[in-house]
Amino acid sequence: MLDFARLAGQLSDFATYRVGEDGAHAARLTRAVDALDECGPGWESLRDRAQALKGGVLRAIPTTAPHQHHGCGDRPATVTVVATDGSQIFPDRHVEPACYLLNVGRVAIHYGTLDPPLIQAEPSLRYRQQDLADLADDDAQASPLDLTAEVVSALRDELELHWLFETAAAERRSGRPVLAIADGTLIRWMLRGMKNRRLETELLARYVAELDRFREAGVPVCSYVSRPANAEVVNLLRLHLGEDDWSTAPDSLRGLHDRHLFEHRLAQGERSAVFLSRSEVLSQYGPHRIVAFYVHGCAEVGRVEMPEWVANQTGWLDLIHAVVLDQCDKGRGYPVILQEAHQRAVVRMQEKDVFHRILARQVRQSGGAVPSYSGKAASKLAPRV
Amino acid sequence: MPDPSPPVAEVIASNTREVVAEVYPGATVPAFGSWVEVETEDGTVLYGLTSHAEIGSVEPGRQAAALGADYDRDRIRREMPQILELVRTTVRAQILAYWDGRSRRDGRPVVRQTVPPRPAALHDRVQVCGPEAVAALAAPFDVLRTLARNPDPAVPADDLLAAALRNLSDAHGDEGDAILVEAGRALARLLDEDHERLQSILRRVR
């Protein structure tokens, strides 16, 4: 329960603090925009310096002059766009053996044609201990495999990419461009620092294997990050300005995000230069190092990521730019096809309850122990006065 | 006596007075005032008069929003096809008669013009009645009595009566006019000789 009377003072302090922060933010922004223009000529040496530096904060490596911006060309009159999004029901510790559900929503829309769209969900119930054991066998050092939220999320990401390719491969038509759009980042940095190193390596290898399939089939794949919190381009500018990585100087650009910079630098509809990510996890991506550009859609600056080989293919950057912008227009700020994929993927609270009820009934019918609620869970279900 | 015509809709809500059915994609929506039939699991055929049709979102939480004047029908089909996947048409039919399999000596079915003992099941399939079935819903016109005396408050009763009479007349072919006169007499009695109302209904039949 929230006592608003006692909170009031703190809320008003926060408002005062924000006003101060906004002022500082505006000053940082002006400095960053100037720095971006300034580092244009002779950008190659800045790139080389950034590339030579090891460790420290993440810095974007520009592939062209970083201050460049490009207008959007026409979207092809006909184009097939596919997208996936996923959700899950995490394992319930009351149910033995552990099981969990992955649900991937997948959508294909054939723009400019009368071909019917594909809008479908692919649920996948997983429960075999063997599946997990296969992920990281023969490792005596490994801690016992727990079905943590982290592992389940990683498997969901992998399944999303798996279905993204399957959908693109099945729905692409000859003579019509195709583009596969994933939700969120393609950089699986969250896999780093897992307790089980072997599992981490295996999960990454499997993710990269899915990317291989796109490359072999020649299907362009990208992802859209809404409200990106990256500061890699800002960190590049800090290098240009000679700022210390951990500087706390009042005029430091620290705290500024790339999207703040490009909200100012890009006109609506424009995209930025392409930057290579230096994320450590990409060392295991083989030929799929991830590059990104920012695009100013109708409601926000979003980040569009793709493997380097996609960006290097003639015409594909323009294709991605035009399709993503059209998607944001249609979705009033966020790609409409990702919205549809999300709608199919999401497992609602009510559906979660039904899932657990059916599961409990099945376990009961087959003579298993009936799952029960812990005292704490039960007290939340039926609070007393 | 179920008609072999293909099912056009499926029951998604049901009670003894009415069914609500979702029309299959691509199927023709049963017309207002036309008869539909549902064969239930025990073989009973329920006859309903289509009294309402509506188009809406499949998901209760998602509302349609205007796309803008530059989106004509063709552009929506080509550029926003996912929207059409989220739309469904539902019809409501008042159940006014049923057939439990009994026949007369001459082989003609005995269709009871009253509310059935049990409702249709969810997901039972709905077919449009053929002329033979519609013709069986004529004399003694008790269906008209139910329509006139216990109308669905959400439906303009006289328009539904007019549409039902028109279909009855059409189903009788050459004898259409004769059956209309007969039905008109029955209706006049039902309306307590309210000739003005009767005339107004009959005008709408033509």
Side-chain angles (χ1 to χ4, degrees):
Chain A
M1 207 171 288
L2 203 46
D3 186 337
F4 281 99
R6 303 190 62 180
L7 186 65
Q10 297 171 56
L11 281 172
S12 114
D13 289 349
F14 177 64
T16 314
Y17 171 77
R18 276 200 63 172
V19 171
E21 275 297 294
D22 285 353
H25 177 85
R28 280 197 291 263
L29 193 57
T30 311
R31 197 156 170 259
V33 173
D34 291 346
L36 183 64
D37 288 334
E38 195 181 280
C39 72
W43 65 276
E44 291 95 339
S45 71
L46 178 62
R47 175 198 61 197
D48 296 345
R49 276 168 62 209
Q51 223 149 16
L53 279 171
K54 295 268 183 280
V57 296
L58 275 186
R59 271 177 223 92
I61 306 293
T63 62
T64 59
H67 69 304
Q68 278 185 0
H69 44 105
H70 307 266
C72 186
D74 288 338
R75 195 205 73 189
T78 62
V79 59
T80 296
V81 183
V82 304
T84 56
D85 190 19
S87 71
Q88 68 285 308
I89 297 179
F90 287 118
D92 182 334
R93 67 191 177 92
H94 302 290
V95 179
E96 281 291 335
C99 70
Y100 59 98
L101 180 99
L102 301 178
N103 195 38
V104 175
R106 58 189 190 112
V107 179
I109 301 180
H110 304 278
Y111 287 103
T113 80
L114 296 176
D115 293 358
L118 172 91
I119 304 177
Q120 206 163 292
E122 301 288 348
S124 163
L125 178 62
R126 309 215 174 161
Y127 45 86
R128 284 179 229 286
Q129 194 61 39
Q130 192 59 36
D131 294 348
L132 270 185
D134 287 349
L135 271 175
D137 52 357
D138 307 320
D139 191 350
Q141 307 301 312
S143 42
L145 279 172
D146 285 338
L147 262 179
T148 58
E150 192 183 27
V151 174
V152 172
S153 301
L155 292 169
R156 183 206 61 212
D157 290 341
E158 180 187 313
L159 197 63
E160 284 177 33
L161 197 61
H162 174 82
W163 276 114
L164 187 63
F165 177 77
E166 291 294 327
T167 310
E171 295 292 316
R172 80 194 291 198
R173 303 280 182 269
S174 80
R176 189 189 303 162
V178 63
L179 177 64
I181 306 179
D183 178 46
T185 180
L186 293 174
I187 303 168
R188 310 248 57 84
W189 51 267
M190 53 296 267
L191 290 181
R192 301 294 296 186
M194 272 187 163
K195 265 185 265 163
N196 186 323
R197 285 311 280 242
R198 199 181 164 88
L199 179 62
E200 171 191 315
T201 310
E202 178 65 22
L203 284 171
L204 263 175
R206 285 166 49 150
Y207 193 78
V208 168
E210 295 293 344
L211 288 175
D212 283 340
R213 299 211 293 160
F214 284 95
R215 191 174 185 220
E216 281 155 21
V219 173
V221 55
C222 69
S223 74
Y224 183 84
V225 185
S226 180
R227 203 168 240 271
N230 308 61
E232 298 162 32
V233 177
V234 169
N235 286 334
L236 178 74
L237 298 179
R238 293 174 66 201
L239 177 69
H240 171 72
L241 293 171
E243 234 182 63
D244 182 64
D245 272 3
W246 314 113
S247 165
T248 50
D251 64 344
S252 163
L253 298 187
R254 234 181 132 180
L256 205 61
H257 292 163
D258 293 353
R259 70 163 194 275
H260 298 134
L261 178 65
F262 288 113
E263 272 160 18
H264 269 253
R265 202 63 195 78
L266 300 176
Q268 210 176 84
E270 283 188 330
R271 75 166 191 260
S272 70
V274 172
F275 298 91
L276 175 67
S277 170
R278 287 299 295 285
S279 190
E280 203 194 325
V281 73
L282 296 180
S283 63
Q284 293 179 62
Y285 268 50
H288 307 290
R289 291 197 304 177
I290 301 299
V291 299
F293 64 72
Y294 290 89
V295 63
H296 198 166
C298 58
E300 66 168 3
V301 165
R303 177 178 159 104
V304 181
E305 296 183 347
M306 70 218 80
E308 205 173 14
W309 57 266
V310 172
N312 290 340
Q313 181 77 36
T314 313
W316 280 6
L317 270 180
D318 290 335
L319 172 73
I320 292 170
H321 184 184
V323 168
V324 167
L325 211 57
D326 180 47
Q327 283 292 316
C328 289
D329 276 349
K330 289 191 160 98
R332 306 197 171 173
Y334 182 70
V336 71
I337 196 163
L338 286 175
Q339 295 179 29
E340 287 307 329
H342 172 81
Q343 287 296 334
R344 291 291 141 162
V346 72
V347 180
R348 292 180 182 83
M349 214 48 188
Q350 212 182 353
E351 295 167 329
K352 234 170 248 191
D353 290 345
V354 172
F355 171 81
H356 281 126
R357 258 206 315 275
I358 295 175
L359 208 63
R361 191 168 56 209
Q362 301 259 357
V363 171
R364 223 174 16 241
Q365 280 168 357
S366 51
V370 180
S372 61
Y373 288 102
S374 67
K376 184 171 176 176
S379 78
K380 284 182 181 171
L381 283 176
R384 279 162 304 174
V385 176
Chain B
M1 200 178 53
D3 198 271
S5 71
V8 293
E10 187 171 316
V11 176
I12 57 169
S14 172
N15 60 51
T16 42
R17 268 205 75 187
E18 63 181 29
V19 293
V20 178
E22 180 176 337
V23 179
Y24 293 130
T28 304
V29 181
F32 176 76
S34 69
W35 287 94
V36 294
E37 60 188 41
V38 183
E39 186 178 354
T40 61
E41 197 178 2
D42 65 6
T44 306
V45 180
L46 313 187
Y47 295 97
L49 192 66
T50 308
S51 59
H52 180 78
E54 76 179 62
I55 301 174
S57 167
V58 177
E59 292 170 43
R62 293 183 74 173
Q63 268 199 332
L67 295 174
D70 49 343
Y71 272 95
D72 59 15
R73 285 189 200 95
D74 185 61
R75 185 154 180 230
I76 291 172
R77 276 188 210 108
R78 290 171 195 277
E79 294 295 326
M80 289 292 213
Q82 80 282 357
I83 287 174
L84 306 173
E85 303 287 313
L86 300 169
V87 170
R88 67 173 179 181
T89 303
T90 53
V91 293
R92 193 165 73 229
Q94 263 179 269
I95 306 294
L96 297 170
Y98 71 98
W99 180 56
D100 58 8
R102 278 186 233 178
S103 303
R104 289 178 229 275
R105 277 201 201 102
D106 63 3
R108 284 188 303 140
V110 182
V111 172
R112 294 173 189 273
Q113 297 193 4
T114 181
V115 171
R118 278 171 286 277
L122 295 183
H123 305 293
D124 276 348
R125 292 180 303 175
V126 176
Q127 292 162 286
V128 172
C129 287
E132 195 192 329
V134 177
L137 293 159
F141 303 106
D142 287 332
V143 294
L144 296 182
R145 175 174 286 272
T146 311
L147 274 182
R149 291 288 166 86
N150 303 91
D152 178 344
V155 175
D158 290 1
D159 291 288
L160 186 58
L161 280 166
L165 290 178
R166 194 184 312 124
N167 285 320
L168 194 61
S169 160
D170 290 349
H172 281 81
D174 294 342
E175 294 165 32
D177 282 344
I179 207 78
L180 209 52
V181 169
E182 209 184 322
R185 277 199 203 106
L187 197 55
R189 286 193 296 277
L190 280 175
L191 300 179
D192 299 325
E193 308 292 332
D194 180 346
H195 290 285
E196 203 174 323
R197 187 174 169 199
L198 179 66
Q199 286 308 317
S200 154
I201 292 171
L202 292 177
R203 268 199 306 276
R204 287 178 243 189
V205 175
R206 292 289 162 199

